[in-house]
Amino acid sequence: QKEVEQDPGPLSVPEGAIVSLNCTYSNSAFQYFMWYRQYSRKGPELLMYTYSSGNKEDGRFTAQVDKSSKYISLFIRDSQPSDSATYLCAMRASGTYKYIFGTGTRLKVLA
Amino acid sequence: DAGITQSPRHKVTETGTPVTLRCHQTENHRYMYWYRQDPGHGLRLIHYSYGVKDTDKGEVSDGYSVSRSKTEDFLLTLESATSSQTSVYFCAISDPGQGTNTGELFFGEGSRLTVL
């Protein structure tokens, strides 16, 4: 079993929809959680960074961490065709700087 | 954008030849990483460095070696390339604990390697 699980998709939604992307993990030591967006043939770009449990909002993006369920989510409001990309979750434990990634979810927002 | 440059960006080589990929950063970040990205596997850590001459293995280190002789440069070497090492390689940097920086990981644009 992988330490971090992420549905690969693809996920297709109409423009303007609310998108929910999720990851589950098995290592209870993970404390730092990140979401990256990756366009085709580009490097991953950091979108959201969250420490421990709770919510964080940045514009149309909201990241949620539920450590009791070992579950993290990224919500995208008012999705746009430009949001079409692969979204990767990543996490690490305190005291270590090894980041573990999910396999990524491909998102397509249809105009 | 974080100042990370990878070279070469594209390379085609033959099985059994040595290959070196270079990562250069201008951010003076302490940590540097090499990941490979393959369909169905996501990003997997090959090796990382936590300072000059300080390196450690990741989850897929077999067949790879690294060196870091300067803060700004991190080299990944495939001593004898195999077809299973065909992949996209990403360098990343991080600098935990400086000011408001809490250790975010920043990536280069990738190096696409094909081993025939």
Side-chain angles (χ1 to χ4, degrees):
Chain A
Q1 184 188 1
K2 293 180 180 179
E3 277 193 288
V4 179
E5 299 277 0
Q6 187 175 9
D7 188 329
L11 178 64
S12 293
V13 301
E15 183 175 357
I18 296 174
V19 175
S20 172
L21 303 165
N22 312 293
C23 288
T24 58
Y25 62 95
S26 58
N27 188 345
S28 58
F30 288 145
Q31 293 272 29
Y32 298 88
F33 304 92
M34 286 144 280
W35 285 96
Y36 287 83
R37 177 176 62 196
Q38 185 177 22
Y39 292 114
S40 181
R41 295 183 173 267
K42 295 288 189 182
E45 170 195 9
L46 181 65
L47 278 178
M48 302 288 283
Y49 187 107
T50 311
Y51 171 70
S52 195
S53 285
N55 293 1
K56 185 175 182 179
E57 187 173 323
D58 184 1
R60 295 186 296 112
F61 299 92
T62 299
Q64 286 186 353
V65 175
D66 181 349
K67 291 192 67 185
S68 62
S69 301
K70 297 192 181 69
Y71 189 89
I72 69 170
S73 300
L74 177 71
F75 297 96
I76 307 174
R77 290 182 297 282
D78 188 25
S79 56
Q80 303 295 310
S82 59
D83 294 326
S84 298
T86 296
Y87 290 80
L88 300 144
C89 64
M91 46 200 81
R92 69 174 176 94
S94 291
T96 176
Y97 294 100
K98 285 187 179 182
Y99 298 75
I100 307 299
F101 282 80
T103 52
T105 300
R106 275 180 52 208
L107 171 68
K108 188 166 186 179
V109 181
L110 305 171
Chain B
D1 290 344
I4 308 169
T5 305
Q6 292 186 228
S7 59
R9 295 290 312 280
H10 301 272
K11 186 171 182 66
V12 179
T13 192
E14 294 191 349
T15 298
T17 59
V19 176
T20 295
L21 305 180
R22 178 180 183 240
C23 180
H24 178 78
Q25 60 142 333
T26 58
E27 306 295 324
N28 200 36
H29 279 18
R30 181 180 166 200
Y31 283 75
M32 297 186 75
Y33 306 78
W34 278 107
Y35 284 87
R36 60 178 290 175
Q37 188 173 38
D38 305 286
H41 292 278
L43 284 159
R44 292 181 291 174
L45 181 63
I46 305 171
H47 283 280
Y48 71 104
S49 169
Y50 46 95
V52 173
K53 299 193 190 303
D54 293 322
T55 65
D56 203 354
K57 296 179 180 180
E59 60 184 309
V60 289
S61 59
D62 287 349
Y64 301 95
S65 62
V66 291
S67 66
R68 191 169 178 199
S69 58
K70 297 185 288 185
T71 298
E72 57 267 33
D73 290 326
F74 192 34
L75 303 181
L76 177 70
T77 297
L78 292 66
E79 300 290 348
S80 177
T82 67
S83 58
S84 65
Q85 293 176 313
T86 292
S87 187
V88 181
Y89 292 86
F90 286 99
C91 175
I93 64 173
S94 175
D95 206 5
Q98 284 200 358
T100 58
N101 187 325
T102 51
E104 294 97 327
L105 195 63
F106 298 100
F107 284 85
E109 288 298 295
S111 295
R112 188 172 295 270
L113 175 66
T114 301
V115 183
L116 301 175

